[in-house]
Amino acid sequence: MSHNPIRPWRDITRRKSRQIRVGDVLVGGDAPIAVQTMTNTPTEDAAATIAQIQRAAEAGADIVRVSCPTEEATAAMPEICRASPVPIVADIHFHYKRGIEAADAGAACLRINPGNIGSEARVKEVVAAARANGCSIRIGVNGGSLERHLLEKYGEPCPDAMVESALDHARILDDFGFHDYKISVKASDMFLTVAAYQQLAEATDAPLHLGITEAGGLRTGTVKSSIGMGALLWAGIGDTIRVSLSADPVEEVKVGFEMLKSLGLRTRGVNIVACPSCARQGFDVIKTVEILEQRLSHIHEPISLSIIGCVVNGPGEAALTDLGFTGGGKESGKMFVAGRPDHNVSNDEMIEHIVDLVEQKAERLRAEREEAEVAAE
């Protein structure tokens, strides 16, 4: 639950779901919403895949999914799983044997699509492999690959068809005594996806993995995902998320975190509050924010920073952020610290000065966290 006693209109009460594990990452219950992405390198190329996983993890990914379409792909999985700094989900589609191989290779979770995986007997073998290796399972229903009998029954992909597919498959796992699963019901149609998740959230206590599939390029996919997934997260639905973009997986992670940060559901890195700029600006706001986003991308500690071009809204925004800079006259502006005006800085020195202050605050936060961890031991 995201709870703000001072500003209750910001409260988000998360749906109560049971908790499972994906490796060492807790999913569901009161665990933080996990951010996931997927590699797009050939899995057979273990070195390239590991390098991409490491970049995604550095950007904040909690879990990374890796496609396992061939025997050659699963043969590379032991090396990939050993080297990965985060749990790996093996993406299994048409051949159930790849799921068994991936579980044996060290995957933390198997993603199986009920429309593609085959008979109940095959699912039983995958479940046995998952159980033997301590794997969880994601039931991944996709609007583009629903079972034929459901398409015949409903005429087209619709929320009822997607939820029925998910619950039918969940029932199979439950009948096998396997309950360590999460569910997704993704479609490229945002309306269909949101409606399916809303219906599914009422029908099960399983953790839910959110996504709008095939959302599009960086800008289009970000907007589409933010509207659909944002509506669900705001309603308290969702335990893991993946922003599906035709872009670098690192961008998916960044967008996912920004989505969660904007809703107060996760905090990681520097959250920059900035004005769109206008003729009143005392410095180039757009260029400054662009540079600061790059220069501060290595900061993991949650720090809020306001960059406002003039004194109309600047002091008010700075009062609500850890650090703030408000443009003024004579090629200089006012630096705010902990919400209060502190000192003046010239526009020429502003960026270096802000980076220095943010890094100092991050260092203090790290030291405080480490002290708290030692004390807890």
Side-chain angles (χ1 to χ4, degrees), residues 36 38 65-70 74 77 88-95 98-99 102 107 109-113 138:
Q36 189 172 311
M38 185 173 183
R65 180 156 53 114
V66 175
S67 187
C68 292
T70 64
T74 50
M77 283 291 278
I88 296 298
V89 176
D91 196 54
I92 310 300
H93 274 281
F94 296 106
H95 210 299
R98 303 292 85 79
C109 180
L110 305 177
R111 187 269 188 174
I112 56 176
N113 184 324
R138 169 154 72 93

mmCIF file with all atom_site columns, all heavy atoms in Angstrom, residues 36 38 65-70 74 77 88-95 98-99 102 107 109-113 138:
data_model
loop_
_atom_site.group_PDB
_atom_site.id
_atom_site.type_symbol
_atom_site.label_atom_id
_atom_site.label_alt_id
_atom_site.label_comp_id
_atom_site.label_asym_id
_atom_site.label_entity_id
_atom_site.label_seq_id
_atom_site.pdbx_PDB_ins_code
_atom_site.Cartn_x
_atom_site.Cartn_y
_atom_site.Cartn_z
_atom_site.occupancy
_atom_site.B_iso_or_equiv
_atom_site.pdbx_formal_charge
_atom_site.auth_seq_id
_atom_site.auth_comp_id
_atom_site.auth_asym_id
_atom_site.auth_atom_id
_atom_site.pdbx_PDB_model_num
ATOM 1   N N   . GLN A 1 36  ? 10.346 -5.609  -14.764 1.00 0.00 ? 36  GLN A N   1
ATOM 2   C CA  . GLN A 1 36  ? 10.894 -6.680  -15.586 1.00 0.00 ? 36  GLN A CA  1
ATOM 3   C C   . GLN A 1 36  ? 11.146 -6.174  -17.000 1.00 0.00 ? 36  GLN A C   1
ATOM 4   O O   . GLN A 1 36  ? 10.504 -5.232  -17.459 1.00 0.00 ? 36  GLN A O   1
ATOM 5   C CB  . GLN A 1 36  ? 9.883  -7.830  -15.617 1.00 0.00 ? 36  GLN A CB  1
ATOM 6   C CG  . GLN A 1 36  ? 10.383 -9.108  -16.239 1.00 0.00 ? 36  GLN A CG  1
ATOM 7   C CD  . GLN A 1 36  ? 9.397  -10.247 -16.050 1.00 0.00 ? 36  GLN A CD  1
ATOM 8   O OE1 . GLN A 1 36  ? 8.921  -10.492 -14.950 1.00 0.00 ? 36  GLN A OE1 1
ATOM 9   N NE2 . GLN A 1 36  ? 9.082  -10.939 -17.128 1.00 0.00 ? 36  GLN A NE2 1
ATOM 10  N N   . MET A 1 38  ? 12.932 -7.800  -21.061 1.00 0.00 ? 38  MET A N   1
ATOM 11  C CA  . MET A 1 38  ? 13.245 -9.029  -21.794 1.00 0.00 ? 38  MET A CA  1
ATOM 12  C C   . MET A 1 38  ? 14.410 -8.764  -22.735 1.00 0.00 ? 38  MET A C   1
ATOM 13  O O   . MET A 1 38  ? 14.484 -7.703  -23.370 1.00 0.00 ? 38  MET A O   1
ATOM 14  C CB  . MET A 1 38  ? 12.017 -9.495  -22.583 1.00 0.00 ? 38  MET A CB  1
ATOM 15  C CG  . MET A 1 38  ? 12.202 -10.833 -23.271 1.00 0.00 ? 38  MET A CG  1
ATOM 16  S SD  . MET A 1 38  ? 10.650 -11.393 -24.007 1.00 0.00 ? 38  MET A SD  1
ATOM 17  C CE  . MET A 1 38  ? 11.176 -13.006 -24.638 1.00 0.00 ? 38  MET A CE  1
ATOM 18  N N   . ARG A 1 65  ? 13.544 -11.514 -18.508 1.00 0.00 ? 65  ARG A N   1
ATOM 19  C CA  . ARG A 1 65  ? 13.026 -12.672 -19.230 1.00 0.00 ? 65  ARG A CA  1
ATOM 20  C C   . ARG A 1 65  ? 13.902 -12.942 -20.449 1.00 0.00 ? 65  ARG A C   1
ATOM 21  O O   . ARG A 1 65  ? 14.334 -12.019 -21.134 1.00 0.00 ? 65  ARG A O   1
ATOM 22  C CB  . ARG A 1 65  ? 11.575 -12.423 -19.649 1.00 0.00 ? 65  ARG A CB  1
ATOM 23  C CG  . ARG A 1 65  ? 10.943 -13.572 -20.410 1.00 0.00 ? 65  ARG A CG  1
ATOM 24  C CD  . ARG A 1 65  ? 9.423  -13.552 -20.299 1.00 0.00 ? 65  ARG A CD  1
ATOM 25  N NE  . ARG A 1 65  ? 8.814  -12.298 -20.656 1.00 0.00 ? 65  ARG A NE  1
ATOM 26  C CZ  . ARG A 1 65  ? 8.000  -12.106 -21.716 1.00 0.00 ? 65  ARG A CZ  1
ATOM 27  N NH1 . ARG A 1 65  ? 7.749  -13.122 -22.530 1.00 0.00 ? 65  ARG A NH1 1
ATOM 28  N NH2 . ARG A 1 65  ? 7.456  -10.940 -21.942 1.00 0.00 ? 65  ARG A NH2 1
ATOM 29  N N   . VAL A 1 66  ? 14.156 -14.221 -20.700 1.00 0.00 ? 66  VAL A N   1
ATOM 30  C CA  . VAL A 1 66  ? 15.010 -14.645 -21.814 1.00 0.00 ? 66  VAL A CA  1
ATOM 31  C C   . VAL A 1 66  ? 14.244 -15.689 -22.624 1.00 0.00 ? 66  VAL A C   1
ATOM 32  O O   . VAL A 1 66  ? 13.729 -16.658 -22.063 1.00 0.00 ? 66  VAL A O   1
ATOM 33  C CB  . VAL A 1 66  ? 16.336 -15.240 -21.291 1.00 0.00 ? 66  VAL A CB  1
ATOM 34  C CG1 . VAL A 1 66  ? 17.164 -15.801 -22.439 1.00 0.00 ? 66  VAL A CG1 1
ATOM 35  C CG2 . VAL A 1 66  ? 17.140 -14.187 -20.528 1.00 0.00 ? 66  VAL A CG2 1
ATOM 36  N N   . SER A 1 67  ? 14.164 -15.481 -23.919 1.00 0.00 ? 67  SER A N   1
ATOM 37  C CA  . SER A 1 67  ? 13.421 -16.410 -24.769 1.00 0.00 ? 67  SER A CA  1
ATOM 38  C C   . SER A 1 67  ? 14.206 -17.697 -24.985 1.00 0.00 ? 67  SER A C   1
ATOM 39  O O   . SER A 1 67  ? 15.410 -17.680 -25.228 1.00 0.00 ? 67  SER A O   1
ATOM 40  C CB  . SER A 1 67  ? 13.132 -15.747 -26.116 1.00 0.00 ? 67  SER A CB  1
ATOM 41  O OG  . SER A 1 67  ? 12.273 -16.570 -26.883 1.00 0.00 ? 67  SER A OG  1
ATOM 42  N N   . CYS A 1 68  ? 13.492 -18.826 -24.920 1.00 0.00 ? 68  CYS A N   1
ATOM 43  C CA  . CYS A 1 68  ? 14.126 -20.138 -25.088 1.00 0.00 ? 68  CYS A CA  1
ATOM 44  C C   . CYS A 1 68  ? 13.382 -20.944 -26.160 1.00 0.00 ? 68  CYS A C   1
ATOM 45  O O   . CYS A 1 68  ? 12.677 -21.914 -25.857 1.00 0.00 ? 68  CYS A O   1
ATOM 46  C CB  . CYS A 1 68  ? 14.107 -20.906 -23.766 1.00 0.00 ? 68  CYS A CB  1
ATOM 47  S SG  . CYS A 1 68  ? 15.165 -20.188 -22.493 1.00 0.00 ? 68  CYS A SG  1
ATOM 48  N N   . PRO A 1 69  ? 13.546 -20.552 -27.424 1.00 0.00 ? 69  PRO A N   1
ATOM 49  C CA  . PRO A 1 69  ? 12.790 -21.229 -28.481 1.00 0.00 ? 69  PRO A CA  1
ATOM 50  C C   . PRO A 1 69  ? 13.433 -22.503 -29.012 1.00 0.00 ? 69  PRO A C   1
ATOM 51  O O   . PRO A 1 69  ? 12.766 -23.299 -29.676 1.00 0.00 ? 69  PRO A O   1
ATOM 52  C CB  . PRO A 1 69  ? 12.742 -20.163 -29.582 1.00 0.00 ? 69  PRO A CB  1
ATOM 53  C CG  . PRO A 1 69  ? 14.007 -19.362 -29.389 1.00 0.00 ? 69  PRO A CG  1
ATOM 54  C CD  . PRO A 1 69  ? 14.300 -19.385 -27.910 1.00 0.00 ? 69  PRO A CD  1
ATOM 55  N N   . THR A 1 70  ? 14.737 -22.717 -28.730 1.00 0.00 ? 70  THR A N   1
ATOM 56  C CA  . THR A 1 70  ? 15.456 -23.852 -29.326 1.00 0.00 ? 70  THR A CA  1
ATOM 57  C C   . THR A 1 70  ? 16.297 -24.574 -28.277 1.00 0.00 ? 70  THR A C   1
ATOM 58  O O   . THR A 1 70  ? 16.564 -24.050 -27.201 1.00 0.00 ? 70  THR A O   1
ATOM 59  C CB  . THR A 1 70  ? 16.406 -23.359 -30.432 1.00 0.00 ? 70  THR A CB  1
ATOM 60  O OG1 . THR A 1 70  ? 17.407 -22.510 -29.834 1.00 0.00 ? 70  THR A OG1 1
ATOM 61  C CG2 . THR A 1 70  ? 15.657 -22.572 -31.503 1.00 0.00 ? 70  THR A CG2 1
ATOM 62  N N   . THR A 1 74  ? 18.378 -23.127 -24.818 1.00 0.00 ? 74  THR A N   1
ATOM 63  C CA  . THR A 1 74  ? 18.385 -23.654 -23.455 1.00 0.00 ? 74  THR A CA  1
ATOM 64  C C   . THR A 1 74  ? 19.763 -24.190 -23.074 1.00 0.00 ? 74  THR A C   1
ATOM 65  O O   . THR A 1 74  ? 20.130 -24.198 -21.897 1.00 0.00 ? 74  THR A O   1
ATOM 66  C CB  . THR A 1 74  ? 17.313 -24.752 -23.258 1.00 0.00 ? 74  THR A CB  1
ATOM 67  O OG1 . THR A 1 74  ? 17.411 -25.721 -24.299 1.00 0.00 ? 74  THR A OG1 1
ATOM 68  C CG2 . THR A 1 74  ? 15.916 -24.157 -23.236 1.00 0.00 ? 74  THR A CG2 1
ATOM 69  N N   . MET A 1 77  ? 21.543 -21.506 -21.356 1.00 0.00 ? 77  MET A N   1
ATOM 70  C CA  . MET A 1 77  ? 20.917 -20.982 -20.134 1.00 0.00 ? 77  MET A CA  1
ATOM 71  C C   . MET A 1 77  ? 21.716 -21.219 -18.847 1.00 0.00 ? 77  MET A C   1
ATOM 72  O O   . MET A 1 77  ? 21.727 -20.350 -17.965 1.00 0.00 ? 77  MET A O   1
ATOM 73  C CB  . MET A 1 77  ? 19.503 -21.544 -19.980 1.00 0.00 ? 77  MET A CB  1
ATOM 74  C CG  . MET A 1 77  ? 18.494 -20.871 -20.892 1.00 0.00 ? 77  MET A CG  1
ATOM 75  S SD  . MET A 1 77  ? 18.170 -19.153 -20.433 1.00 0.00 ? 77  MET A SD  1
ATOM 76  C CE  . MET A 1 77  ? 16.985 -19.418 -19.108 1.00 0.00 ? 77  MET A CE  1
ATOM 77  N N   . ILE A 1 88  ? 16.207 -15.014 -13.641 1.00 0.00 ? 88  ILE A N   1
ATOM 78  C CA  . ILE A 1 88  ? 15.873 -15.148 -15.064 1.00 0.00 ? 88  ILE A CA  1
ATOM 79  C C   . ILE A 1 88  ? 14.560 -15.909 -15.232 1.00 0.00 ? 88  ILE A C   1
ATOM 80  O O   . ILE A 1 88  ? 14.364 -16.970 -14.647 1.00 0.00 ? 88  ILE A O   1
ATOM 81  C CB  . ILE A 1 88  ? 17.002 -15.893 -15.815 1.00 0.00 ? 88  ILE A CB  1
ATOM 82  C CG1 . ILE A 1 88  ? 18.300 -15.084 -15.779 1.00 0.00 ? 88  ILE A CG1 1
ATOM 83  C CG2 . ILE A 1 88  ? 16.595 -16.189 -17.267 1.00 0.00 ? 88  ILE A CG2 1
ATOM 84  C CD1 . ILE A 1 88  ? 18.222 -13.740 -16.460 1.00 0.00 ? 88  ILE A CD1 1
ATOM 85  N N   . VAL A 1 89  ? 13.678 -15.341 -16.053 1.00 0.00 ? 89  VAL A N   1
ATOM 86  C CA  . VAL A 1 89  ? 12.451 -16.029 -16.464 1.00 0.00 ? 89  VAL A CA  1
ATOM 87  C C   . VAL A 1 89  ? 12.690 -16.595 -17.856 1.00 0.00 ? 89  VAL A C   1
ATOM 88  O O   . VAL A 1 89  ? 13.083 -15.865 -18.771 1.00 0.00 ? 89  VAL A O   1
ATOM 89  C CB  . VAL A 1 89  ? 11.247 -15.058 -16.502 1.00 0.00 ? 89  VAL A CB  1
ATOM 90  C CG1 . VAL A 1 89  ? 9.999  -15.778 -17.023 1.00 0.00 ? 89  VAL A CG1 1
ATOM 91  C CG2 . VAL A 1 89  ? 10.977 -14.471 -15.126 1.00 0.00 ? 89  VAL A CG2 1
ATOM 92  N N   . ALA A 1 90  ? 12.485 -17.879 -18.012 1.00 0.00 ? 90  ALA A N   1
ATOM 93  C CA  . ALA A 1 90  ? 12.633 -18.515 -19.324 1.00 0.00 ? 90  ALA A CA  1
ATOM 94  C C   . ALA A 1 90  ? 11.311 -18.446 -20.067 1.00 0.00 ? 90  ALA A C   1
ATOM 95  O O   . ALA A 1 90  ? 10.279 -18.875 -19.553 1.00 0.00 ? 90  ALA A O   1
ATOM 96  C CB  . ALA A 1 90  ? 13.070 -19.971 -19.156 1.00 0.00 ? 90  ALA A CB  1
ATOM 97  N N   . ASP A 1 91  ? 11.348 -17.895 -21.261 1.00 0.00 ? 91  ASP A N   1
ATOM 98  C CA  . ASP A 1 91  ? 10.135 -17.718 -22.067 1.00 0.00 ? 91  ASP A CA  1
ATOM 99  C C   . ASP A 1 91  ? 9.928  -18.954 -22.935 1.00 0.00 ? 91  ASP A C   1
ATOM 100 O O   . ASP A 1 91  ? 10.723 -19.223 -23.844 1.00 0.00 ? 91  ASP A O   1
ATOM 101 C CB  . ASP A 1 91  ? 10.308 -16.473 -22.939 1.00 0.00 ? 91  ASP A CB  1
ATOM 102 C CG  . ASP A 1 91  ? 8.985  -15.990 -23.505 1.00 0.00 ? 91  ASP A CG  1
ATOM 103 O OD1 . ASP A 1 91  ? 8.065  -15.778 -22.709 1.00 0.00 ? 91  ASP A OD1 1
ATOM 104 O OD2 . ASP A 1 91  ? 8.881  -15.812 -24.730 1.00 0.00 ? 91  ASP A OD2 1
ATOM 105 N N   . ILE A 1 92  ? 8.880  -19.709 -22.637 1.00 0.00 ? 92  ILE A N   1
ATOM 106 C CA  . ILE A 1 92  ? 8.626  -20.978 -23.325 1.00 0.00 ? 92  ILE A CA  1
ATOM 107 C C   . ILE A 1 92  ? 7.329  -20.850 -24.116 1.00 0.00 ? 92  ILE A C   1
ATOM 108 O O   . ILE A 1 92  ? 6.304  -20.449 -23.567 1.00 0.00 ? 92  ILE A O   1
ATOM 109 C CB  . ILE A 1 92  ? 8.486  -22.139 -22.312 1.00 0.00 ? 92  ILE A CB  1
ATOM 110 C CG1 . ILE A 1 92  ? 9.654  -22.151 -21.320 1.00 0.00 ? 92  ILE A CG1 1
ATOM 111 C CG2 . ILE A 1 92  ? 8.335  -23.465 -23.041 1.00 0.00 ? 92  ILE A CG2 1
ATOM 112 C CD1 . ILE A 1 92  ? 11.017 -22.313 -21.943 1.00 0.00 ? 92  ILE A CD1 1
ATOM 113 N N   . HIS A 1 93  ? 7.386  -21.215 -25.381 1.00 0.00 ? 93  HIS A N   1
ATOM 114 C CA  . HIS A 1 93  ? 6.175  -21.094 -26.186 1.00 0.00 ? 93  HIS A CA  1
ATOM 115 C C   . HIS A 1 93  ? 5.701  -22.437 -26.716 1.00 0.00 ? 93  HIS A C   1
ATOM 116 O O   . HIS A 1 93  ? 4.844  -23.079 -26.125 1.00 0.00 ? 93  HIS A O   1
ATOM 117 C CB  . HIS A 1 93  ? 6.379  -20.093 -27.321 1.00 0.00 ? 93  HIS A CB  1
ATOM 118 C CG  . HIS A 1 93  ? 6.106  -18.686 -26.882 1.00 0.00 ? 93  HIS A CG  1
ATOM 119 N ND1 . HIS A 1 93  ? 4.838  -18.189 -26.758 1.00 0.00 ? 93  HIS A ND1 1
ATOM 120 C CD2 . HIS A 1 93  ? 6.938  -17.695 -26.504 1.00 0.00 ? 93  HIS A CD2 1
ATOM 121 C CE1 . HIS A 1 93  ? 4.879  -16.942 -26.337 1.00 0.00 ? 93  HIS A CE1 1
ATOM 122 N NE2 . HIS A 1 93  ? 6.157  -16.620 -26.164 1.00 0.00 ? 93  HIS A NE2 1
ATOM 123 N N   . PHE A 1 94  ? 6.285  -22.896 -27.819 1.00 0.00 ? 94  PHE A N   1
ATOM 124 C CA  . PHE A 1 94  ? 5.663  -24.029 -28.505 1.00 0.00 ? 94  PHE A CA  1
ATOM 125 C C   . PHE A 1 94  ? 6.126  -25.404 -28.041 1.00 0.00 ? 94  PHE A C   1
ATOM 126 O O   . PHE A 1 94  ? 5.443  -26.378 -28.260 1.00 0.00 ? 94  PHE A O   1
ATOM 127 C CB  . PHE A 1 94  ? 5.887  -23.899 -30.022 1.00 0.00 ? 94  PHE A CB  1
ATOM 128 C CG  . PHE A 1 94  ? 5.210  -22.687 -30.599 1.00 0.00 ? 94  PHE A CG  1
ATOM 129 C CD1 . PHE A 1 94  ? 5.946  -21.573 -30.972 1.00 0.00 ? 94  PHE A CD1 1
ATOM 130 C CD2 . PHE A 1 94  ? 3.830  -22.644 -30.727 1.00 0.00 ? 94  PHE A CD2 1
ATOM 131 C CE1 . PHE A 1 94  ? 5.313  -20.457 -31.494 1.00 0.00 ? 94  PHE A CE1 1
ATOM 132 C CE2 . PHE A 1 94  ? 3.190  -21.529 -31.240 1.00 0.00 ? 94  PHE A CE2 1
ATOM 133 C CZ  . PHE A 1 94  ? 3.937  -20.425 -31.624 1.00 0.00 ? 94  PHE A CZ  1
ATOM 134 N N   . HIS A 1 95  ? 7.284  -25.499 -27.407 1.00 0.00 ? 95  HIS A N   1
ATOM 135 C CA  . HIS A 1 95  ? 7.768  -26.829 -27.075 1.00 0.00 ? 95  HIS A CA  1
ATOM 136 C C   . HIS A 1 95  ? 7.998  -26.973 -25.577 1.00 0.00 ? 95  HIS A C   1
ATOM 137 O O   . HIS A 1 95  ? 8.855  -26.318 -24.997 1.00 0.00 ? 95  HIS A O   1
ATOM 138 C CB  . HIS A 1 95  ? 9.056  -27.155 -27.845 1.00 0.00 ? 95  HIS A CB  1
ATOM 139 C CG  . HIS A 1 95  ? 9.179  -28.627 -28.122 1.00 0.00 ? 95  HIS A CG  1
ATOM 140 N ND1 . HIS A 1 95  ? 9.241  -29.566 -27.107 1.00 0.00 ? 95  HIS A ND1 1
ATOM 141 C CD2 . HIS A 1 95  ? 9.231  -29.320 -29.279 1.00 0.00 ? 95  HIS A CD2 1
ATOM 142 C CE1 . HIS A 1 95  ? 9.329  -30.776 -27.632 1.00 0.00 ? 95  HIS A CE1 1
ATOM 143 N NE2 . HIS A 1 95  ? 9.321  -30.658 -28.948 1.00 0.00 ? 95  HIS A NE2 1
ATOM 144 N N   . ARG A 1 98  ? 11.484 -27.440 -23.874 1.00 0.00 ? 98  ARG A N   1
ATOM 145 C CA  . ARG A 1 98  ? 12.347 -26.286 -23.585 1.00 0.00 ? 98  ARG A CA  1
ATOM 146 C C   . ARG A 1 98  ? 12.125 -25.817 -22.138 1.00 0.00 ? 98  ARG A C   1
ATOM 147 O O   . ARG A 1 98  ? 13.051 -25.362 -21.480 1.00 0.00 ? 98  ARG A O   1
ATOM 148 C CB  . ARG A 1 98  ? 12.061 -25.131 -24.550 1.00 0.00 ? 98  ARG A CB  1
ATOM 149 C CG  . ARG A 1 98  ? 12.193 -25.414 -26.038 1.00 0.00 ? 98  ARG A CG  1
ATOM 150 C CD  . ARG A 1 98  ? 13.623 -25.682 -26.461 1.00 0.00 ? 98  ARG A CD  1
ATOM 151 N NE  . ARG A 1 98  ? 14.016 -27.077 -26.284 1.00 0.00 ? 98  ARG A NE  1
ATOM 152 C CZ  . ARG A 1 98  ? 13.701 -28.074 -27.097 1.00 0.00 ? 98  ARG A CZ  1
ATOM 153 N NH1 . ARG A 1 98  ? 12.952 -27.854 -28.171 1.00 0.00 ? 98  ARG A NH1 1
ATOM 154 N NH2 . ARG A 1 98  ? 14.132 -29.293 -26.852 1.00 0.00 ? 98  ARG A NH2 1
ATOM 155 N N   . GLY A 1 99  ? 10.890 -25.944 -21.661 1.00 0.00 ? 99  GLY A N   1
ATOM 156 C CA  . GLY A 1 99  ? 10.589 -25.566 -20.277 1.00 0.00 ? 99  GLY A CA  1
ATOM 157 C C   . GLY A 1 99  ? 11.312 -26.457 -19.283 1.00 0.00 ? 99  GLY A C   1
ATOM 158 O O   . GLY A 1 99  ? 11.866 -25.980 -18.286 1.00 0.00 ? 99  GLY A O   1
ATOM 159 N N   . ALA A 1 102 ? 15.010 -25.554 -19.415 1.00 0.00 ? 102 ALA A N   1
ATOM 160 C CA  . ALA A 1 102 ? 15.288 -24.259 -18.783 1.00 0.00 ? 102 ALA A CA  1
ATOM 161 C C   . ALA A 1 102 ? 15.225 -24.353 -17.261 1.00 0.00 ? 102 ALA A C   1
ATOM 162 O O   . ALA A 1 102 ? 16.035 -23.749 -16.549 1.00 0.00 ? 102 ALA A O   1
ATOM 163 C CB  . ALA A 1 102 ? 14.301 -23.204 -19.283 1.00 0.00 ? 102 ALA A CB  1
ATOM 164 N N   . ALA A 1 107 ? 16.804 -21.504 -14.481 1.00 0.00 ? 107 ALA A N   1
ATOM 165 C CA  . ALA A 1 107 ? 15.829 -20.419 -14.572 1.00 0.00 ? 107 ALA A CA  1
ATOM 166 C C   . ALA A 1 107 ? 15.042 -20.334 -13.261 1.00 0.00 ? 107 ALA A C   1
ATOM 167 O O   . ALA A 1 107 ? 14.752 -21.352 -12.627 1.00 0.00 ? 107 ALA A O   1
ATOM 168 C CB  . ALA A 1 107 ? 14.875 -20.653 -15.741 1.00 0.00 ? 107 ALA A CB  1
ATOM 169 N N   . CYS A 1 109 ? 12.029 -18.861 -13.091 1.00 0.00 ? 109 CYS A N   1
ATOM 170 C CA  . CYS A 1 109 ? 10.599 -18.889 -13.410 1.00 0.00 ? 109 CYS A CA  1
ATOM 171 C C   . CYS A 1 109 ? 10.448 -19.319 -14.861 1.00 0.00 ? 109 CYS A C   1
ATOM 172 O O   . CYS A 1 109 ? 11.323 -19.044 -15.698 1.00 0.00 ? 109 CYS A O   1
ATOM 173 C CB  . CYS A 1 109 ? 9.998  -17.490 -13.198 1.00 0.00 ? 109 CYS A CB  1
ATOM 174 S SG  . CYS A 1 109 ? 8.222  -17.338 -13.541 1.00 0.00 ? 109 CYS A SG  1
ATOM 175 N N   . LEU A 1 110 ? 9.362  -20.013 -15.157 1.00 0.00 ? 110 LEU A N   1
ATOM 176 C CA  . LEU A 1 110 ? 9.061  -20.419 -16.525 1.00 0.00 ? 110 LEU A CA  1
ATOM 177 C C   . LEU A 1 110 ? 7.797  -19.694 -16.969 1.00 0.00 ? 110 LEU A C   1
ATOM 178 O O   . LEU A 1 110 ? 6.782  -19.747 -16.283 1.00 0.00 ? 110 LEU A O   1
ATOM 179 C CB  . LEU A 1 110 ? 8.825  -21.929 -16.604 1.00 0.00 ? 110 LEU A CB  1
ATOM 180 C CG  . LEU A 1 110 ? 9.920  -22.839 -16.057 1.00 0.00 ? 110 LEU A CG  1
ATOM 181 C CD1 . LEU A 1 110 ? 9.473  -24.294 -16.161 1.00 0.00 ? 110 LEU A CD1 1
ATOM 182 C CD2 . LEU A 1 110 ? 11.228 -22.628 -16.816 1.00 0.00 ? 110 LEU A CD2 1
ATOM 183 N N   . ARG A 1 111 ? 7.878  -19.024 -18.104 1.00 0.00 ? 111 ARG A N   1
ATOM 184 C CA  . ARG A 1 111 ? 6.687  -18.381 -18.661 1.00 0.00 ? 111 ARG A CA  1
ATOM 185 C C   . ARG A 1 111 ? 6.121  -19.298 -19.722 1.00 0.00 ? 111 ARG A C   1
ATOM 186 O O   . ARG A 1 111 ? 6.793  -19.607 -20.713 1.00 0.00 ? 111 ARG A O   1
ATOM 187 C CB  . ARG A 1 111 ? 7.050  -17.016 -19.241 1.00 0.00 ? 111 ARG A CB  1
ATOM 188 C CG  . ARG A 1 111 ? 5.836  -16.200 -19.698 1.00 0.00 ? 111 ARG A CG  1
ATOM 189 C CD  . ARG A 1 111 ? 5.480  -16.421 -21.142 1.00 0.00 ? 111 ARG A CD  1
ATOM 190 N NE  . ARG A 1 111 ? 4.445  -15.498 -21.585 1.00 0.00 ? 111 ARG A NE  1
ATOM 191 C CZ  . ARG A 1 111 ? 4.018  -15.386 -22.816 1.00 0.00 ? 111 ARG A CZ  1
ATOM 192 N NH1 . ARG A 1 111 ? 4.511  -16.160 -23.759 1.00 0.00 ? 111 ARG A NH1 1
ATOM 193 N NH2 . ARG A 1 111 ? 3.077  -14.517 -23.138 1.00 0.00 ? 111 ARG A NH2 1
ATOM 194 N N   . ILE A 1 112 ? 4.910  -19.786 -19.504 1.00 0.00 ? 112 ILE A N   1
ATOM 195 C CA  . ILE A 1 112 ? 4.289  -20.670 -20.480 1.00 0.00 ? 112 ILE A CA  1
ATOM 196 C C   . ILE A 1 112 ? 2.974  -20.069 -20.948 1.00 0.00 ? 112 ILE A C   1
ATOM 197 O O   . ILE A 1 112 ? 2.233  -19.472 -20.173 1.00 0.00 ? 112 ILE A O   1
ATOM 198 C CB  . ILE A 1 112 ? 4.076  -22.099 -19.925 1.00 0.00 ? 112 ILE A CB  1
ATOM 199 C CG1 . ILE A 1 112 ? 3.262  -22.092 -18.624 1.00 0.00 ? 112 ILE A CG1 1
ATOM 200 C CG2 . ILE A 1 112 ? 5.412  -22.797 -19.717 1.00 0.00 ? 112 ILE A CG2 1
ATOM 201 C CD1 . ILE A 1 112 ? 2.956  -23.481 -18.096 1.00 0.00 ? 112 ILE A CD1 1
ATOM 202 N N   . ASN A 1 113 ? 2.694  -20.231 -22.226 1.00 0.00 ? 113 ASN A N   1
ATOM 203 C CA  . ASN A 1 113 ? 1.483  -19.708 -22.839 1.00 0.00 ? 113 ASN A CA  1
ATOM 204 C C   . ASN A 1 113 ? 0.503  -20.859 -23.029 1.00 0.00 ? 113 ASN A C   1
ATOM 205 O O   . ASN A 1 113 ? 0.781  -21.786 -23.794 1.00 0.00 ? 113 ASN A O   1
ATOM 206 C CB  . ASN A 1 113 ? 1.844  -19.070 -24.192 1.00 0.00 ? 113 ASN A CB  1
ATOM 207 C CG  . ASN A 1 113 ? 0.650  -18.416 -24.867 1.00 0.00 ? 113 ASN A CG  1
ATOM 208 O OD1 . ASN A 1 113 ? -0.465 -18.888 -24.780 1.00 0.00 ? 113 ASN A OD1 1
ATOM 209 N ND2 . ASN A 1 113 ? 0.911  -17.325 -25.576 1.00 0.00 ? 113 ASN A ND2 1
ATOM 210 N N   . ARG A 1 138 ? 4.914  -18.456 -14.741 1.00 0.00 ? 138 ARG A N   1
ATOM 211 C CA  . ARG A 1 138 ? 3.979  -17.401 -15.140 1.00 0.00 ? 138 ARG A CA  1
ATOM 212 C C   . ARG A 1 138 ? 3.080  -17.949 -16.225 1.00 0.00 ? 138 ARG A C   1
ATOM 213 O O   . ARG A 1 138 ? 3.560  -18.392 -17.273 1.00 0.00 ? 138 ARG A O   1
ATOM 214 C CB  . ARG A 1 138 ? 4.675  -16.141 -15.659 1.00 0.00 ? 138 ARG A CB  1
ATOM 215 C CG  . ARG A 1 138 ? 3.655  -15.177 -16.308 1.00 0.00 ? 138 ARG A CG  1
ATOM 216 C CD  . ARG A 1 138 ? 4.069  -13.753 -16.292 1.00 0.00 ? 138 ARG A CD  1
ATOM 217 N NE  . ARG A 1 138 ? 5.134  -13.427 -17.208 1.00 0.00 ? 138 ARG A NE  1
ATOM 218 C CZ  . ARG A 1 138 ? 4.954  -12.981 -18.458 1.00 0.00 ? 138 ARG A CZ  1
ATOM 219 N NH1 . ARG A 1 138 ? 3.740  -12.876 -18.964 1.00 0.00 ? 138 ARG A NH1 1
ATOM 220 N NH2 . ARG A 1 138 ? 5.994  -12.657 -19.193 1.00 0.00 ? 138 ARG A NH2 1
#
